[in-house]
Amino acid sequence: MLAGIFGGLLILSGLILTSAFFGYQQPDTTPGIPTGPVGYYFVAFAGCALVGWGGGLIGVARDPSSGGSMTNATIVALVLMSIVRMTAWLIGDYYVWLGSLPRLEVALFLLIALAFLWLRPSAVQVSA
Protein backbone atom coordinates (compact mmCIF):
# COMPACT_ATOMS: atom_id res chain seq x y z
CA MET A 1 0.00 0.00 0.00
CA LEU A 2 2.73 2.47 1.02
CA ALA A 3 4.75 1.59 -2.08
CA GLY A 4 1.78 2.30 -4.35
CA ILE A 5 0.95 5.65 -2.76
CA PHE A 6 4.56 6.79 -2.68
CA GLY A 7 5.06 5.52 -6.23
CA GLY A 8 2.11 7.56 -7.44
CA LEU A 9 3.47 10.66 -5.69
CA LEU A 10 6.87 10.11 -7.30
CA ILE A 11 5.32 9.81 -10.74
CA LEU A 12 3.31 13.00 -10.19
CA SER A 13 6.41 14.85 -8.96
CA GLY A 14 8.43 13.56 -11.89
CA LEU A 15 5.84 14.67 -14.41
CA ILE A 16 5.72 18.13 -12.80
CA LEU A 17 9.51 18.48 -12.98
CA THR A 18 9.65 17.23 -16.56
CA SER A 19 6.86 19.57 -17.63
CA ALA A 20 8.72 22.45 -15.91
CA PHE A 21 11.58 21.82 -18.34
CA PHE A 22 9.26 22.14 -21.32
CA GLY A 23 7.60 25.19 -19.79
CA TYR A 24 11.00 26.84 -19.39
CA GLN A 25 11.59 26.48 -23.13
CA GLN A 26 8.62 28.72 -23.96
CA PRO A 27 9.53 32.32 -24.86
CA ASP A 28 8.88 35.08 -22.31
CA THR A 29 8.18 32.79 -19.37
CA THR A 30 9.19 33.30 -15.78
CA PRO A 31 10.82 30.14 -14.47
CA GLY A 32 9.30 28.60 -11.37
CA ILE A 33 12.64 27.14 -10.34
CA PRO A 34 15.41 29.78 -10.25
CA THR A 35 18.02 28.13 -12.44
CA GLY A 36 19.29 28.43 -15.97
CA PRO A 37 19.03 26.13 -18.98
CA VAL A 38 21.57 23.61 -17.64
CA GLY A 39 19.71 23.47 -14.32
CA TYR A 40 16.43 22.79 -16.12
CA TYR A 41 18.10 20.04 -18.10
CA PHE A 42 18.95 18.30 -14.80
CA VAL A 43 15.50 19.07 -13.37
CA ALA A 44 13.97 17.22 -16.33
CA PHE A 45 16.44 14.36 -15.88
CA ALA A 46 15.47 14.07 -12.21
CA GLY A 47 11.79 14.16 -13.21
CA CYS A 48 12.25 11.27 -15.63
CA ALA A 49 14.09 9.26 -12.96
CA LEU A 50 11.25 9.91 -10.48
CA VAL A 51 8.72 8.59 -12.99
CA GLY A 52 10.77 5.40 -13.38
CA TRP A 53 11.23 4.99 -9.63
CA GLY A 54 7.52 5.54 -9.03
CA GLY A 55 6.61 2.99 -11.67
CA GLY A 56 8.85 0.42 -9.99
CA LEU A 57 7.17 1.06 -6.64
CA ILE A 58 3.71 0.68 -8.16
CA GLY A 59 4.87 -2.66 -9.60
CA VAL A 60 5.95 -3.72 -6.11
CA ALA A 61 2.57 -2.68 -4.70
CA ARG A 62 0.86 -4.91 -7.27
CA ASP A 63 3.18 -7.90 -6.61
CA PRO A 64 4.86 -7.64 -3.18
CA SER A 65 6.84 -10.86 -3.67
CA SER A 66 8.95 -9.09 -6.31
CA GLY A 67 9.74 -6.03 -4.26
CA GLY A 68 12.52 -6.78 -1.80
CA SER A 69 15.29 -5.08 -3.76
CA MET A 70 13.05 -2.20 -4.83
CA THR A 71 12.08 -1.51 -1.23
CA ASN A 72 15.73 -1.61 -0.14
CA ALA A 73 16.73 0.70 -2.99
CA THR A 74 13.97 3.12 -2.01
CA ILE A 75 15.16 3.20 1.60
CA VAL A 76 18.75 3.85 0.49
CA ALA A 77 17.63 6.59 -1.92
CA LEU A 78 15.57 8.33 0.78
CA VAL A 79 18.45 8.23 3.28
CA LEU A 80 20.87 9.52 0.63
CA MET A 81 18.44 12.34 -0.25
CA SER A 82 18.34 13.20 3.46
CA ILE A 83 22.13 13.32 3.68
CA VAL A 84 22.32 15.66 0.68
CA ARG A 85 19.69 17.95 2.21
CA MET A 86 21.38 17.93 5.63
CA THR A 87 24.62 18.96 3.93
CA ALA A 88 22.84 21.71 1.97
CA TRP A 89 21.24 22.98 5.16
CA LEU A 90 24.59 23.12 6.97
CA ILE A 91 26.25 25.02 4.12
CA GLY A 92 25.18 28.65 4.38
CA ASP A 93 25.04 29.23 0.61
CA TYR A 94 21.87 27.20 0.28
CA TYR A 95 20.15 28.78 3.28
CA VAL A 96 19.69 32.06 1.43
CA TRP A 97 17.66 30.32 -1.26
CA LEU A 98 15.99 27.48 0.65
CA GLY A 99 15.77 28.72 4.24
CA SER A 100 14.85 25.89 6.60
CA LEU A 101 13.14 23.80 3.89
CA PRO A 102 15.94 21.15 3.84
CA ARG A 103 15.31 20.42 7.54
CA LEU A 104 11.65 19.68 6.80
CA GLU A 105 12.61 17.56 3.80
CA VAL A 106 15.11 15.56 5.88
CA ALA A 107 12.45 14.77 8.47
CA LEU A 108 9.92 13.81 5.78
CA PHE A 109 12.34 11.59 3.83
CA LEU A 110 13.60 9.80 6.95
CA LEU A 111 10.04 9.19 8.16
CA ILE A 112 9.10 7.71 4.79
CA ALA A 113 12.26 5.54 4.86
CA LEU A 114 11.32 4.28 8.33
CA ALA A 115 7.81 3.51 7.12
CA PHE A 116 9.22 1.45 4.24
CA LEU A 117 11.50 -0.35 6.67
CA TRP A 118 8.86 -1.09 9.32
CA LEU A 119 5.84 -1.74 7.09
CA ARG A 120 7.35 -4.01 4.47
CA PRO A 121 6.03 -7.54 4.62
CA SER A 122 8.31 -10.25 5.91
CA ALA A 123 9.39 -13.09 3.64
CA VAL A 124 6.89 -15.39 5.39
CA GLN A 125 3.97 -13.04 4.67
CA VAL A 126 4.94 -12.61 1.03
CA SER A 127 5.17 -16.32 0.26
CA ALA A 128 1.95 -17.27 2.02
Side-chain angles (χ1 to χ4, degrees):
M1 169 102 171
L2 176 64
I5 293 169
F6 192 63
L9 290 173
L10 288 179
I11 289 174
L12 179 64
S13 299
L15 291 174
I16 289 170
L17 291 177
T18 305
S19 66
F21 168 78
F22 290 109
Y24 177 76
Q25 307 308 317
Q26 302 301 315
D28 299 324
T29 58
T30 304
I33 302 170
T35 185
V38 174
Y40 267 94
Y41 175 80
F42 285 103
V43 165
F45 180 76
C48 294
L50 287 174
V51 169
W53 183 14
L57 286 172
I58 288 175
V60 168
R62 295 179 76 192
D63 182 14
S65 64
S66 68
S69 60
M70 187 67 191
T71 301
N72 292 339
T74 297
I75 292 169
V76 169
L78 288 165
V79 170
L80 185 60
M81 289 165 49
S82 296
I83 292 169
V84 168
R85 278 156 177 81
M86 280 189 265
T87 304
W89 178 68
L90 291 173
I91 297 173
D93 296 345
Y94 295 98
Y95 186 80
V96 173
W97 179 44
L98 296 172
S100 292
L101 180 63
R103 287 175 35 187
L104 175 67
E105 291 175 330
V106 166
L108 179 66
F109 293 149
L110 290 177
L111 283 173
I112 295 170
L114 280 173
F116 270 99
L117 186 63
W118 287 339
L119 299 176
R120 68 177 159 185
S122 68
V124 176
Q125 290 173 328
V126 171
S127 65

